[in-house]
Amino acid sequence: MHLVSCLFLPISCSKYATVVFMANCKFETGKKRLNYLTFHDFHICAEQMIDSWTAGAEGELHTAANVDTDVDRLFLQELKEVRGVIESDIDTQRILACQYLQQRISTHPFNVLDVHFKQLNKSLLKMSESLVHKTELKDFFSDLEEKFMEPCRQWEYGAEEMAHFVNAMLESAKQLEQLTRRRRVLLTYDKYLRTVLLCVRQFASVPKR
């Protein structure tokens, strides 16, 4: 779609803007494990990334004219620090997270939630640390599917349970002393996980073919 042709179609302009953003970041969307998703699903996720991961203004209508087509490098550098800070007090986080999960997921005992949380948390922390590299950033959707969505489906978690795991990561992190001392890094982690949460909900809402 040519930019001029969407000047009178705000919704189409928004989609055009996410195409520009995704193309610039070279996001990989054609892998086999992502075949069940459509452009609409990636568009929803990319909009959230533009709002949270770029230096552009949050809440504005996204058009190709005003969208920031690059993920903020400062955001990525700060995100790289998160893993080290959290892992310095990882046992406390696991206890807090599993207490959170136990109140919301009754289908699995505490020790099973602990094992699942440990695996998922480690995967998302490793992903956050590696996004500073463009080769890893482009595989964000594929990695999220492989390292979070697929294990959750194997454990028979639905969309709400998956969301609980992401929220458990965020809420437990907010209670870690080492992280609360570094408010900017905590805010960066919050932006990362809120985007992950939206993508998880969107991916989980689509039946796998």
Side-chain angles (χ1 to χ4, degrees):
M1 183 188 300
H2 192 276
L3 178 59
V4 174
S5 69
C6 74
L7 289 176
F8 303 103
L9 298 171
I11 295 177
S12 295
C13 283
S14 173
K15 290 183 177 179
Y16 185 83
T18 59
V19 170
V20 172
F21 172 74
M22 291 178 65
N24 186 69
C25 294
K26 297 183 171 68
F27 284 118
E28 176 61 67
T29 60
K31 290 190 175 181
K32 186 177 180 180
R33 65 171 54 96
L34 299 174
N35 282 351
Y36 73 101
L37 300 169
T38 67
F39 169 73
H40 172 74
D41 304 308
F42 295 118
H43 164 68
I44 295 295
C45 297
E47 274 205 314
Q48 179 69 17
M49 289 178 176
I50 293 169
D51 272 343
S52 300
W53 294 11
T54 72
E58 185 173 346
E60 290 187 0
L61 175 65
H62 301 145
T63 68
N66 72 2
V67 68
D68 192 332
T69 58
D70 284 313
V71 176
D72 185 4
R73 297 303 296 177
L74 179 59
F75 167 80
L76 294 176
Q77 289 291 345
E78 290 174 340
L79 193 57
K80 187 179 178 181
E81 300 177 30
V82 171
R83 183 182 179 186
V85 177
I86 289 181
E87 288 189 345
S88 68
D89 200 6
I90 193 69
D91 290 336
T92 300
Q93 191 206 18
R94 282 173 53 205
I95 293 171
L96 293 169
C98 289
Q99 289 173 344
Y100 177 97
L101 290 167
Q102 196 172 35
Q103 296 173 12
R104 292 163 176 80
I105 301 177
S106 59
T107 54
H108 294 72
F110 185 93
N111 63 316
V112 174
L113 292 174
D114 181 48
V115 171
H116 292 174
F117 175 81
K118 183 178 180 180
Q119 177 177 330
L120 296 174
N121 191 44
K122 182 178 180 180
S123 293
L124 290 187
L125 283 174
K126 288 180 69 175
M127 283 176 59
S128 71
E129 183 182 47
S130 66
L131 290 180
V132 70
H133 305 293
K134 288 188 176 182
T135 54
E136 300 296 331
L137 178 63
K138 73 181 182 65
D139 284 331
F140 172 79
F141 296 121
S142 178
D143 286 344
L144 183 63
E145 175 67 23
E146 178 185 5
K147 298 172 183 178
F148 188 93
M149 303 300 298
E150 290 179 359
C152 282
R153 291 193 184 98
Q154 290 173 4
W155 299 327
E156 299 184 345
Y157 289 124
E160 286 306 307
E161 288 83 5
M162 294 183 198
H164 288 325
F165 273 96
V166 180
N167 281 322
M169 294 173 195
L170 181 57
E171 293 305 315
S172 59
K174 289 178 179 178
Q175 299 179 60
L176 298 181
E177 184 178 355
Q178 293 298 322
L179 202 54
T180 56
R181 289 178 180 176
R182 306 177 68 174
R183 298 296 299 177
R184 190 173 181 89
V185 175
L186 178 58
L187 178 60
T188 297
Y189 190 49
D190 181 279
K191 290 179 178 180
Y192 167 70
L193 282 184
R194 291 190 187 282
T195 299
V196 168
L197 177 60
L198 183 142
C199 294
V200 165
R201 287 187 180 278
Q202 187 63 37
F203 286 18
S205 72
V206 183
K208 288 209 72 171
R209 298 190 292 270

